[in-house]
Short mmCIF file of all heavy atoms in Angstrom, two decimals:
data_model
loop_
_atom_site.label_atom_id
_atom_site.label_comp_id
_atom_site.label_asym_id
_atom_site.label_seq_id
_atom_site.Cartn_x
_atom_site.Cartn_y
_atom_site.Cartn_z
N PHE A 1 -12.16 -26.42 -22.01
CA PHE A 1 -12.07 -24.96 -21.89
C PHE A 1 -11.04 -24.56 -20.84
O PHE A 1 -10.31 -23.57 -21.03
CB PHE A 1 -13.44 -24.37 -21.52
CG PHE A 1 -14.39 -24.28 -22.68
CD1 PHE A 1 -15.65 -24.84 -22.61
CD2 PHE A 1 -14.02 -23.61 -23.84
CE1 PHE A 1 -16.53 -24.74 -23.68
CE2 PHE A 1 -14.89 -23.50 -24.91
CZ PHE A 1 -16.14 -24.08 -24.83
N LYS A 2 -10.96 -25.31 -19.75
CA LYS A 2 -9.97 -25.00 -18.71
C LYS A 2 -8.56 -25.14 -19.27
O LYS A 2 -7.70 -24.29 -19.04
CB LYS A 2 -10.16 -25.91 -17.52
CG LYS A 2 -9.22 -25.58 -16.36
CD LYS A 2 -9.47 -26.50 -15.17
CE LYS A 2 -8.49 -26.17 -14.04
NZ LYS A 2 -8.69 -27.06 -12.87
N TRP A 3 -8.31 -26.23 -20.03
CA TRP A 3 -6.99 -26.40 -20.65
C TRP A 3 -6.69 -25.25 -21.60
O TRP A 3 -5.58 -24.72 -21.62
CB TRP A 3 -6.95 -27.71 -21.43
CG TRP A 3 -5.73 -27.81 -22.29
CD1 TRP A 3 -4.50 -28.27 -21.92
CD2 TRP A 3 -5.60 -27.38 -23.65
NE1 TRP A 3 -3.62 -28.16 -22.98
CE2 TRP A 3 -4.26 -27.61 -24.04
CE3 TRP A 3 -6.48 -26.82 -24.57
CZ2 TRP A 3 -3.80 -27.31 -25.32
CZ3 TRP A 3 -6.04 -26.52 -25.85
CH2 TRP A 3 -4.70 -26.77 -26.22
N LEU A 4 -7.69 -24.84 -22.39
CA LEU A 4 -7.49 -23.78 -23.37
C LEU A 4 -7.13 -22.46 -22.69
O LEU A 4 -6.17 -21.79 -23.09
CB LEU A 4 -8.76 -23.60 -24.20
CG LEU A 4 -8.78 -22.41 -25.17
CD1 LEU A 4 -7.67 -22.52 -26.20
CD2 LEU A 4 -10.13 -22.29 -25.86
N PHE A 5 -7.87 -22.08 -21.66
CA PHE A 5 -7.62 -20.80 -21.00
C PHE A 5 -6.27 -20.82 -20.27
O PHE A 5 -5.58 -19.80 -20.22
CB PHE A 5 -8.75 -20.47 -20.03
CG PHE A 5 -10.09 -20.30 -20.70
CD1 PHE A 5 -11.25 -20.78 -20.13
CD2 PHE A 5 -10.18 -19.66 -21.93
CE1 PHE A 5 -12.48 -20.64 -20.75
CE2 PHE A 5 -11.40 -19.50 -22.57
CZ PHE A 5 -12.55 -20.00 -21.97
N GLU A 6 -5.90 -21.96 -19.70
CA GLU A 6 -4.59 -22.06 -19.05
C GLU A 6 -3.46 -21.97 -20.07
O GLU A 6 -2.44 -21.31 -19.83
CB GLU A 6 -4.50 -23.37 -18.27
CG GLU A 6 -5.35 -23.39 -17.00
CD GLU A 6 -5.31 -24.74 -16.31
OE1 GLU A 6 -4.85 -25.73 -16.95
OE2 GLU A 6 -5.74 -24.82 -15.13
N ALA A 7 -3.62 -22.65 -21.21
CA ALA A 7 -2.60 -22.60 -22.26
C ALA A 7 -2.47 -21.20 -22.84
O ALA A 7 -1.37 -20.71 -23.11
CB ALA A 7 -2.94 -23.60 -23.37
N PHE A 8 -3.59 -20.53 -23.02
CA PHE A 8 -3.60 -19.16 -23.54
C PHE A 8 -2.89 -18.22 -22.58
O PHE A 8 -2.07 -17.39 -22.99
CB PHE A 8 -5.03 -18.70 -23.78
CG PHE A 8 -5.16 -17.30 -24.29
CD1 PHE A 8 -4.94 -16.99 -25.62
CD2 PHE A 8 -5.50 -16.26 -23.42
CE1 PHE A 8 -5.06 -15.70 -26.10
CE2 PHE A 8 -5.61 -14.96 -23.89
CZ PHE A 8 -5.39 -14.68 -25.22
N THR A 9 -3.18 -18.35 -21.29
CA THR A 9 -2.54 -17.50 -20.27
C THR A 9 -1.04 -17.76 -20.19
O THR A 9 -0.25 -16.82 -20.08
CB THR A 9 -3.20 -17.75 -18.90
OG1 THR A 9 -4.61 -17.55 -19.00
CG2 THR A 9 -2.64 -16.80 -17.86
N GLU A 10 -0.65 -19.02 -20.27
CA GLU A 10 0.77 -19.36 -20.22
C GLU A 10 1.51 -18.81 -21.43
O GLU A 10 2.64 -18.30 -21.31
CB GLU A 10 0.94 -20.88 -20.15
CG GLU A 10 2.39 -21.33 -20.04
CD GLU A 10 2.53 -22.84 -20.01
OE1 GLU A 10 1.49 -23.53 -19.99
OE2 GLU A 10 3.68 -23.32 -20.03
N ALA A 11 0.89 -18.90 -22.61
CA ALA A 11 1.54 -18.40 -23.84
C ALA A 11 1.77 -16.90 -23.78
O ALA A 11 2.70 -16.38 -24.42
CB ALA A 11 0.68 -18.75 -25.05
N HIS A 12 0.95 -16.20 -23.02
CA HIS A 12 1.05 -14.74 -22.93
C HIS A 12 1.65 -14.28 -21.60
O HIS A 12 1.30 -13.21 -21.09
CB HIS A 12 -0.32 -14.10 -23.14
CG HIS A 12 -0.83 -14.23 -24.55
ND1 HIS A 12 -0.22 -13.60 -25.62
CD2 HIS A 12 -1.87 -14.93 -25.07
CE1 HIS A 12 -0.88 -13.90 -26.73
NE2 HIS A 12 -1.87 -14.70 -26.43
N GLY A 13 2.55 -15.09 -21.05
CA GLY A 13 3.29 -14.66 -19.87
C GLY A 13 2.45 -14.49 -18.63
O GLY A 13 2.72 -13.61 -17.81
N GLN A 14 1.40 -15.31 -18.47
CA GLN A 14 0.50 -15.28 -17.30
C GLN A 14 -0.32 -14.00 -17.19
O GLN A 14 -0.91 -13.73 -16.14
CB GLN A 14 1.28 -15.52 -16.00
CG GLN A 14 2.03 -16.83 -15.94
CD GLN A 14 1.12 -18.04 -16.10
OE1 GLN A 14 0.01 -18.05 -15.60
NE2 GLN A 14 1.61 -19.06 -16.81
N LYS A 15 -0.34 -13.20 -18.25
CA LYS A 15 -1.17 -12.00 -18.23
C LYS A 15 -2.62 -12.36 -18.52
O LYS A 15 -2.90 -13.05 -19.50
CB LYS A 15 -0.68 -10.99 -19.26
CG LYS A 15 -1.55 -9.73 -19.33
CD LYS A 15 -1.12 -8.79 -20.42
CE LYS A 15 -2.08 -7.60 -20.51
NZ LYS A 15 -1.72 -6.66 -21.58
N LYS A 16 -3.52 -11.89 -17.67
CA LYS A 16 -4.95 -12.17 -17.84
C LYS A 16 -5.69 -10.88 -18.20
O LYS A 16 -5.32 -9.80 -17.73
CB LYS A 16 -5.53 -12.78 -16.57
CG LYS A 16 -4.89 -14.12 -16.21
CD LYS A 16 -5.42 -14.67 -14.91
CE LYS A 16 -4.72 -16.00 -14.58
NZ LYS A 16 -5.19 -16.55 -13.29
N PRO A 17 -6.71 -10.97 -19.04
CA PRO A 17 -7.44 -9.76 -19.44
C PRO A 17 -8.23 -9.17 -18.27
O PRO A 17 -8.58 -9.88 -17.32
CB PRO A 17 -8.37 -10.26 -20.54
CG PRO A 17 -8.57 -11.72 -20.25
CD PRO A 17 -7.27 -12.18 -19.67
N ILE A 18 -8.50 -7.88 -18.37
CA ILE A 18 -9.35 -7.23 -17.37
C ILE A 18 -10.78 -7.70 -17.52
O ILE A 18 -11.47 -7.98 -16.55
CB ILE A 18 -9.27 -5.69 -17.52
CG1 ILE A 18 -7.84 -5.21 -17.31
CG2 ILE A 18 -10.22 -5.01 -16.53
CD1 ILE A 18 -7.65 -3.74 -17.60
N THR A 19 -11.23 -7.81 -18.78
CA THR A 19 -12.61 -8.18 -19.09
C THR A 19 -12.61 -9.16 -20.25
O THR A 19 -11.84 -9.02 -21.20
CB THR A 19 -13.43 -6.94 -19.49
OG1 THR A 19 -13.35 -5.97 -18.44
CG2 THR A 19 -14.88 -7.29 -19.73
N ILE A 20 -13.49 -10.15 -20.17
CA ILE A 20 -13.67 -11.08 -21.28
C ILE A 20 -15.16 -11.27 -21.52
O ILE A 20 -15.94 -11.44 -20.58
CB ILE A 20 -12.98 -12.44 -21.01
CG1 ILE A 20 -13.07 -13.33 -22.23
CG2 ILE A 20 -13.53 -13.11 -19.77
CD1 ILE A 20 -12.20 -14.58 -22.16
N PHE A 21 -15.58 -11.19 -22.78
CA PHE A 21 -16.97 -11.39 -23.16
C PHE A 21 -17.13 -12.77 -23.78
O PHE A 21 -16.30 -13.20 -24.59
CB PHE A 21 -17.43 -10.31 -24.14
CG PHE A 21 -17.73 -9.00 -23.50
CD1 PHE A 21 -16.75 -8.04 -23.37
CD2 PHE A 21 -18.99 -8.72 -22.99
CE1 PHE A 21 -17.01 -6.82 -22.77
CE2 PHE A 21 -19.26 -7.51 -22.39
CZ PHE A 21 -18.27 -6.56 -22.28
N LYS A 22 -18.21 -13.44 -23.42
CA LYS A 22 -18.47 -14.80 -23.90
C LYS A 22 -19.98 -15.00 -24.01
O LYS A 22 -20.77 -14.10 -23.68
CB LYS A 22 -17.88 -15.81 -22.92
CG LYS A 22 -18.44 -15.67 -21.50
CD LYS A 22 -17.84 -16.64 -20.55
CE LYS A 22 -18.44 -16.51 -19.16
NZ LYS A 22 -19.91 -16.73 -19.13
N ASP A 23 -20.36 -16.21 -24.50
CA ASP A 23 -21.79 -16.52 -24.55
C ASP A 23 -22.21 -17.17 -23.23
O ASP A 23 -21.45 -17.17 -22.26
CB ASP A 23 -22.11 -17.41 -25.76
CG ASP A 23 -21.31 -18.71 -25.74
OD1 ASP A 23 -20.90 -19.14 -24.64
OD2 ASP A 23 -21.09 -19.29 -26.81
N GLN A 24 -23.42 -17.74 -23.18
CA GLN A 24 -23.97 -18.27 -21.93
C GLN A 24 -23.65 -19.75 -21.72
O GLN A 24 -24.36 -20.43 -20.98
CB GLN A 24 -25.48 -18.06 -21.91
CG GLN A 24 -25.88 -16.59 -21.80
CD GLN A 24 -27.39 -16.42 -21.85
OE1 GLN A 24 -27.96 -16.05 -22.86
NE2 GLN A 24 -28.05 -16.72 -20.75
N ASP A 25 -22.59 -20.25 -22.34
CA ASP A 25 -22.22 -21.65 -22.19
C ASP A 25 -21.80 -21.93 -20.75
O ASP A 25 -20.89 -21.27 -20.22
CB ASP A 25 -21.09 -21.99 -23.16
CG ASP A 25 -20.76 -23.46 -23.15
OD1 ASP A 25 -21.41 -24.21 -23.88
OD2 ASP A 25 -19.85 -23.86 -22.38
N ALA A 26 -22.41 -22.93 -20.11
CA ALA A 26 -22.15 -23.21 -18.70
C ALA A 26 -20.75 -23.77 -18.49
O ALA A 26 -20.07 -23.43 -17.51
CB ALA A 26 -23.20 -24.19 -18.18
N ALA A 27 -20.28 -24.64 -19.39
CA ALA A 27 -18.96 -25.22 -19.26
C ALA A 27 -17.88 -24.16 -19.38
O ALA A 27 -16.88 -24.16 -18.64
CB ALA A 27 -18.75 -26.31 -20.32
N MET A 28 -18.06 -23.23 -20.29
CA MET A 28 -17.11 -22.14 -20.48
C MET A 28 -17.07 -21.25 -19.24
O MET A 28 -15.99 -20.83 -18.79
CB MET A 28 -17.50 -21.31 -21.70
CG MET A 28 -16.45 -20.30 -22.14
SD MET A 28 -17.07 -19.22 -23.46
CE MET A 28 -17.50 -20.42 -24.72
N ALA A 29 -18.26 -20.95 -18.68
CA ALA A 29 -18.33 -20.10 -17.49
C ALA A 29 -17.62 -20.76 -16.31
O ALA A 29 -16.90 -20.10 -15.56
CB ALA A 29 -19.79 -19.83 -17.14
N LYS A 30 -17.78 -22.07 -16.16
CA LYS A 30 -17.13 -22.79 -15.07
C LYS A 30 -15.61 -22.75 -15.21
O LYS A 30 -14.88 -22.49 -14.23
CB LYS A 30 -17.61 -24.24 -15.05
CG LYS A 30 -16.98 -25.09 -13.94
CD LYS A 30 -17.46 -26.53 -14.01
CE LYS A 30 -16.77 -27.37 -12.94
NZ LYS A 30 -17.19 -28.80 -13.03
N ALA A 31 -15.11 -22.97 -16.42
CA ALA A 31 -13.67 -22.96 -16.65
C ALA A 31 -13.07 -21.58 -16.43
O ALA A 31 -11.99 -21.44 -15.83
CB ALA A 31 -13.38 -23.44 -18.07
N LEU A 32 -13.76 -20.54 -16.89
CA LEU A 32 -13.26 -19.17 -16.71
C LEU A 32 -13.20 -18.79 -15.24
O LEU A 32 -12.27 -18.11 -14.81
CB LEU A 32 -14.15 -18.19 -17.48
CG LEU A 32 -13.84 -18.00 -18.96
CD1 LEU A 32 -14.93 -17.15 -19.62
CD2 LEU A 32 -12.49 -17.35 -19.16
N THR A 33 -14.19 -19.22 -14.48
CA THR A 33 -14.21 -18.91 -13.04
C THR A 33 -13.01 -19.54 -12.33
O THR A 33 -12.42 -18.95 -11.43
CB THR A 33 -15.52 -19.39 -12.42
OG1 THR A 33 -16.62 -18.80 -13.11
CG2 THR A 33 -15.59 -19.01 -10.95
N GLU A 34 -12.64 -20.75 -12.74
CA GLU A 34 -11.52 -21.45 -12.10
C GLU A 34 -10.17 -20.86 -12.52
O GLU A 34 -9.27 -20.72 -11.70
CB GLU A 34 -11.58 -22.94 -12.45
CG GLU A 34 -12.76 -23.66 -11.85
CD GLU A 34 -12.79 -25.13 -12.23
OE1 GLU A 34 -11.82 -25.59 -12.87
OE2 GLU A 34 -13.78 -25.82 -11.89
N VAL A 35 -10.04 -20.53 -13.80
CA VAL A 35 -8.74 -20.07 -14.32
C VAL A 35 -8.52 -18.59 -14.05
O VAL A 35 -7.42 -18.18 -13.67
CB VAL A 35 -8.63 -20.36 -15.83
CG1 VAL A 35 -7.32 -19.80 -16.39
CG2 VAL A 35 -8.72 -21.85 -16.09
N GLY A 36 -9.55 -17.77 -14.24
CA GLY A 36 -9.40 -16.32 -14.08
C GLY A 36 -10.47 -15.70 -13.21
O GLY A 36 -11.33 -14.95 -13.71
N PRO A 37 -10.48 -15.99 -11.92
CA PRO A 37 -11.53 -15.44 -11.06
C PRO A 37 -11.47 -13.92 -10.93
O PRO A 37 -12.48 -13.27 -10.66
CB PRO A 37 -11.27 -16.11 -9.70
CG PRO A 37 -9.83 -16.52 -9.75
CD PRO A 37 -9.54 -16.83 -11.19
N GLU A 38 -10.26 -13.33 -11.12
CA GLU A 38 -10.13 -11.88 -11.01
C GLU A 38 -10.55 -11.16 -12.28
O GLU A 38 -10.72 -9.93 -12.28
CB GLU A 38 -8.68 -11.50 -10.67
CG GLU A 38 -7.66 -11.81 -11.75
CD GLU A 38 -7.15 -13.23 -11.73
OE1 GLU A 38 -7.80 -14.10 -11.11
OE2 GLU A 38 -6.10 -13.48 -12.32
N THR A 39 -10.74 -11.87 -13.38
CA THR A 39 -11.19 -11.28 -14.64
C THR A 39 -12.71 -11.15 -14.62
O THR A 39 -13.43 -12.08 -14.24
CB THR A 39 -10.76 -12.16 -15.84
OG1 THR A 39 -9.34 -12.23 -15.87
CG2 THR A 39 -11.26 -11.58 -17.15
N TRP A 40 -13.20 -9.98 -15.06
CA TRP A 40 -14.65 -9.77 -15.11
C TRP A 40 -15.20 -10.45 -16.35
O TRP A 40 -14.72 -10.25 -17.47
CB TRP A 40 -14.96 -8.27 -15.16
CG TRP A 40 -16.42 -7.96 -15.00
CD1 TRP A 40 -17.11 -7.81 -13.85
CD2 TRP A 40 -17.35 -7.76 -16.07
NE1 TRP A 40 -18.43 -7.54 -14.11
CE2 TRP A 40 -18.61 -7.51 -15.48
CE3 TRP A 40 -17.25 -7.79 -17.45
CZ2 TRP A 40 -19.76 -7.26 -16.22
CZ3 TRP A 40 -18.39 -7.55 -18.21
CH2 TRP A 40 -19.63 -7.29 -17.59
N HIS A 41 -16.24 -11.29 -16.15
CA HIS A 41 -16.81 -12.07 -17.24
C HIS A 41 -18.14 -11.46 -17.67
O HIS A 41 -19.12 -11.51 -16.93
CB HIS A 41 -17.01 -13.53 -16.81
CG HIS A 41 -15.79 -14.15 -16.23
ND1 HIS A 41 -15.81 -15.06 -15.19
CD2 HIS A 41 -14.48 -13.99 -16.54
CE1 HIS A 41 -14.59 -15.43 -14.89
NE2 HIS A 41 -13.76 -14.80 -15.69
N GLY A 42 -18.16 -10.88 -18.85
CA GLY A 42 -19.38 -10.28 -19.37
C GLY A 42 -20.11 -11.21 -20.31
O GLY A 42 -19.50 -12.03 -21.01
N LEU A 43 -21.44 -11.12 -20.32
CA LEU A 43 -22.25 -11.93 -21.22
C LEU A 43 -22.52 -11.16 -22.52
O LEU A 43 -22.73 -9.95 -22.50
CB LEU A 43 -23.57 -12.31 -20.56
CG LEU A 43 -23.50 -13.34 -19.43
CD1 LEU A 43 -24.89 -13.61 -18.88
CD2 LEU A 43 -22.88 -14.64 -19.91
N CYS A 44 -22.52 -11.88 -23.60
CA CYS A 44 -22.79 -11.28 -24.91
C CYS A 44 -24.26 -10.87 -24.99
O CYS A 44 -25.17 -11.72 -24.88
CB CYS A 44 -22.44 -12.28 -26.01
SG CYS A 44 -22.95 -11.77 -27.66
N THR A 45 -24.51 -9.59 -25.18
CA THR A 45 -25.89 -9.10 -25.24
C THR A 45 -26.61 -9.61 -26.49
O THR A 45 -27.83 -9.79 -26.49
CB THR A 45 -25.91 -7.56 -25.24
OG1 THR A 45 -25.04 -7.07 -26.28
CG2 THR A 45 -25.43 -7.02 -23.90
N TRP A 46 -25.86 -9.86 -27.57
CA TRP A 46 -26.48 -10.38 -28.79
C TRP A 46 -27.04 -11.77 -28.55
O TRP A 46 -28.17 -12.10 -28.97
CB TRP A 46 -25.45 -10.41 -29.92
CG TRP A 46 -26.02 -10.84 -31.23
CD1 TRP A 46 -26.66 -10.08 -32.15
CD2 TRP A 46 -25.99 -12.18 -31.78
NE1 TRP A 46 -27.05 -10.84 -33.23
CE2 TRP A 46 -26.65 -12.14 -33.03
CE3 TRP A 46 -25.48 -13.40 -31.33
CZ2 TRP A 46 -26.79 -13.27 -33.84
CZ3 TRP A 46 -25.63 -14.52 -32.13
CH2 TRP A 46 -26.28 -14.45 -33.37
N HIS A 47 -26.28 -12.61 -27.83
CA HIS A 47 -26.78 -13.95 -27.51
C HIS A 47 -27.98 -13.88 -26.58
O HIS A 47 -28.91 -14.70 -26.68
CB HIS A 47 -25.67 -14.79 -26.86
CG HIS A 47 -24.69 -15.35 -27.83
ND1 HIS A 47 -23.46 -14.79 -28.06
CD2 HIS A 47 -24.77 -16.42 -28.67
CE1 HIS A 47 -22.82 -15.49 -28.97
NE2 HIS A 47 -23.58 -16.48 -29.36
#
């Protein structure tokens, strides 16, 4: 997940989203915190 988020950010000129919604996956949450700490991470209410 860390590689994916870094590659995605690099492909889009280092622009990071203001908000990203995801499920409660712990590995995903850890990678997002490391790659985009300034991005607000919301949990999917459906999950």
Side-chain angles (χ1 to χ4, degrees):
F1 282 126
K2 183 179 179 181
W3 169 86
L4 173 61
F5 298 140
E6 288 176 346
F8 178 79
T9 305
E10 182 182 355
H12 291 293
Q14 301 301 323
K15 177 185 176 181
K16 297 177 182 178
I18 299 173
T19 304
I20 185 169
F21 283 91
K22 59 181 182 59
D23 58 25
Q24 292 177 258
D25 186 86
M28 190 187 302
K30 180 182 177 182
L32 276 172
T33 303
E34 293 179 6
V35 177
E38 66 275 18
T39 298
W40 189 86
H41 308 144
L43 288 180
C44 171
T45 53
W46 184 84
H47 280 101

